[in-house]
Amino acid sequence: MKLLLVRHLWGVDLSGGFSPHISSWHEVGYRALEGWLGMCPDPALLRKTLESEGFRWISLVFSSAPFSGGGSVQQHLQFLREQIESSLDLQPLFFNAHTGSDSWTATEAEDFYGLALELEKKIGVPISHETHRSRYFGNPWHTQTLLLRFPELKLTCDFSHWVCVAERLLGDCAHIIQRAASQCFHLHARVGYEEGPQVSDPRAPEWKSHLEAHEAWWTEVWNAQLRRGMETVTLTPEFGPPPYQHTLPYSQKPVSDLTAICDWMAVRQVVRFRDLLSAAEVGRRSKRVSAFPTKNRAQSRGL
């Protein structure tokens, strides 16, 4: 299993194009870009950059405008279809989708996600639904119900949203985390806390327990993906700009360096992923050795 590291475009200053960022992205180890086409002032330049620099593309799409709320199943489905169709020519690895509404009934959600699975089969490109606030997968309990109903659904797991919505480090949701991990297709490595989806700086000692909790969930995801035999898995260190990023009052100056945080998280998770694979390989070797019968003492003496 290989880890494909993804750089998101949210909060990246593209006024000067992609050139100012390319060398550092390559140096950190990013091999794909993720974003909404609306973030890119020049889609043609995006296409050229993807081709010339060898980046793969993950397209962010929505089933309704952000912060709009509500809307019928058919309205969401049509909006999602239009977003997808406008992005297909970039040949995305998959679509990371903010879908549904937290105001829907269970019946509305079942109708929508059943139709979304049909749309996914029709277009032939995976659709991974993000666990995002204001969307139907914005809390653990809605998510668990839908995953049990549709075991073929793919998730983008961003547990920072759940921590914020539930106002706790999900100590009572271990079984739901496991279920989400079993259907996780893409991982957003951001650390949330009880009152927000993004800590001020995950490197700071005051956030140590939150970082460790999230990393334990990401390990759960990787182990589940390993058991499923996924050849390549994707991870985006998705720390975002203000208002997600904490700022000082009056000046609105960010309290930390966003690029540094994303890159620090990226490198840290590459090391953790490598360690996990090494441990898994040791475990496999141990099982292979134990599969052979051991000689008894008489046999070892040649008797």
Side-chain angles (χ1 to χ4, degrees):
M1 187 165 74
K2 296 180 180 179
L3 177 63
L4 183 70
L5 204 57
V6 184
R7 186 55 167 96
H8 68 82
L9 300 182
W10 180 35
V12 176
D13 181 6
L14 295 175
S15 60
F18 290 88
S19 297
H21 311 287
I22 295 298
S23 61
S24 63
W25 287 348
H26 281 308
E27 183 178 351
V28 173
Y30 298 113
R31 296 294 178 262
L33 303 180
E34 176 179 347
W36 174 52
L37 283 181
M39 296 174 176
C40 305
D42 187 346
L45 182 58
L46 171 62
R47 180 193 300 277
K48 181 179 179 181
T49 301
L50 294 174
E51 293 174 351
S52 63
E53 300 298 332
F55 288 122
R56 303 303 303 270
W57 174 246
I58 297 170
S59 189
L60 172 62
V61 293
F62 307 90
S63 70
S64 66
F67 312 116
S68 61
S72 70
V73 168
Q74 288 301 324
Q75 287 173 328
H76 276 254
L77 189 68
Q78 180 60 26
F79 198 94
L80 178 62
R81 183 183 293 110
E82 291 171 356
Q83 293 258 305
I84 286 174
E85 289 175 350
S86 68
S87 305
L88 277 173
D89 61 340
L90 285 173
Q91 298 181 317
L93 280 173
F94 59 89
F95 292 99
N96 179 50
H98 292 196
T99 53
S101 170
D102 57 5
S103 66
W104 278 354
T105 65
T107 299
E108 287 174 313
E110 286 193 12
D111 288 345
F112 173 81
Y113 287 103
L115 292 169
L117 283 170
E118 292 180 12
L119 175 62
E120 180 179 359
K121 292 176 182 176
K122 182 178 180 180
I123 63 175
V125 180
I127 301 175
S128 187
H129 303 269
E130 186 172 341
T131 58
H132 200 287
R133 289 170 303 152
S134 87
R135 302 299 180 174
Y136 198 78
F137 290 138
N139 73 66
W141 305 281
H142 278 174
T143 303
Q144 175 182 228
T145 301
L146 260 293
L147 295 184
L148 292 172
R149 173 67 179 83
F150 298 108
E152 64 272 42
L153 270 174
K154 300 173 181 66
L155 278 189
T156 293
C157 287
D158 187 337
F159 297 116
S160 67
H161 288 282
W162 286 2
V163 170
C164 176
V165 169
E167 286 195 304
R168 55 188 182 275
L169 278 176
L170 307 177
D172 56 339
C173 296
H175 62 296
I176 304 179
I177 297 286
Q178 290 174 356
R179 182 71 206 193
S182 74
Q183 292 181 230
C184 182
F185 190 76
H186 180 40
L187 194 56
H188 276 182
R190 185 176 62 229
V191 178
Y193 66 110
E194 290 82 352
E195 305 304 333
Q198 181 171 304
V199 299
S200 57
D201 190 330
R203 302 168 295 184
E206 58 265 33
W207 298 117
K208 183 175 184 289
S209 62
H210 293 75
L211 173 63
E212 290 176 345
H214 284 72
E215 287 185 331
W217 302 330
W218 303 338
T219 296
E220 186 85 37
V221 166
W222 286 336
N223 280 323
Q225 292 174 329
L226 190 60
R227 289 192 296 270
R228 280 148 56 195
M230 293 182 66
E231 294 182 2
T232 301
V233 296
T234 52
L235 178 144
T236 304
E238 203 215 18
F239 287 83
Y244 269 65
Q245 189 179 20
H246 294 196
T247 60
L248 295 173
Y250 302 105
S251 70
Q252 296 301 297
K253 181 181 179 180
V255 302
S256 54
D257 185 314
L258 185 60
T259 297
I261 287 174
C262 290
D263 293 348
W264 176 85
M265 184 61 78
V267 172
R268 180 180 173 92
Q269 298 317 311
V270 166
V271 173
R272 292 187 64 251
F273 183 80
R274 187 183 303 132
D275 291 344
L276 179 140
L277 291 187
S278 296
E281 179 59 27
V282 169
R284 283 193 293 268
R285 289 176 182 174
S286 177
K287 287 181 180 180
R288 287 198 294 267
V289 170
S290 64
F292 292 96
T294 57
K295 295 180 179 180
N296 60 35
R297 290 181 180 177
Q299 289 173 319
S300 66
R301 293 183 185 134
L303 301 177

